[in-house]
């Protein structure tokens, strides 16, 4: 299918176990062989990214797959809290609908590198990952 991805570490921020499983399966089907780190809510995502708490040894991800609809702190709030060098990490917003993701992000004037609609298909991720 082409050359392997440059994404060695992907942070998946997703609170639905079924979507986590499907995303991991999708990544396994493609040319990508990343290490997928999973967190289930916004505060946990920020701890991972800032290497706090149980995540002091976490790698800096090469890509963040961020569900916009999370408990405790949604994806938009996570994006707003990401600062400094974390803003350089590519972020792909994941939403139940492409239109919903674009509208929410437009409302906040927040930039992400791409949006994907659930369920994520290998060919869609492959296209976006190669463009990033």
């Amino acid at each position: 299918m082409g050359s392997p991805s440059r994404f060695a570490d992907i942070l998946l921020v997703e609170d639905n176990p079924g979507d986590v499983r499907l995303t991991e399966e999708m990544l396994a089907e493609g040319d990508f062989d990343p290490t997928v780190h999973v967190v289930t809510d916004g505060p946990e995502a920020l701890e991972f990214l800032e290497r706090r708490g149980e995540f002091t040894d976490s790698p800096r991800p090469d890509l963040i797959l961020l569900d916009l609809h999370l408990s405790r702190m949604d994806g938009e709030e996570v994006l707003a809290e990401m600062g400094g060098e974390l803003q350089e990490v590519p972020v792909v917003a994941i939403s139940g609908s492409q239109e919903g993701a674009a509208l929410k992000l437009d409302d906040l004037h927040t930039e992400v590198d791409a949006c994907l609609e659930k369920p994520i298909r290998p060919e869609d991720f492959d296209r976006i990952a190669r463009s990033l």
Side-chain angles (χ1 to χ4, degrees), residues 21-79:
R21 182 182 53 79
L22 289 173
T23 302
E24 289 175 328
E25 288 175 4
M26 180 273 308
L27 290 169
E29 288 178 19
D31 282 346
F32 306 93
D33 188 21
T35 300
V36 179
H37 308 273
V38 179
V39 296
T40 58
D41 63 30
E44 196 175 31
L46 291 172
E47 283 185 11
F48 184 97
L49 292 167
E50 296 168 0
R51 297 180 175 129
R52 293 185 283 121
E54 69 179 276
F55 302 107
T56 55
D57 294 327
S58 68
R60 178 176 177 207
D62 299 304
L63 177 70
I64 301 169
L65 297 177
L66 177 65
D67 184 4
L68 294 178
H69 304 286
L70 298 166
S71 60
R72 293 180 55 200
M73 172 188 274
D74 67 23
E76 297 158 5
E77 292 171 301
V78 172
L79 288 168

Side-chain angles (χ1 to χ4, degrees), residues 4 30 83-84 88 126 129:
E88 297 172 13
D126 185 60

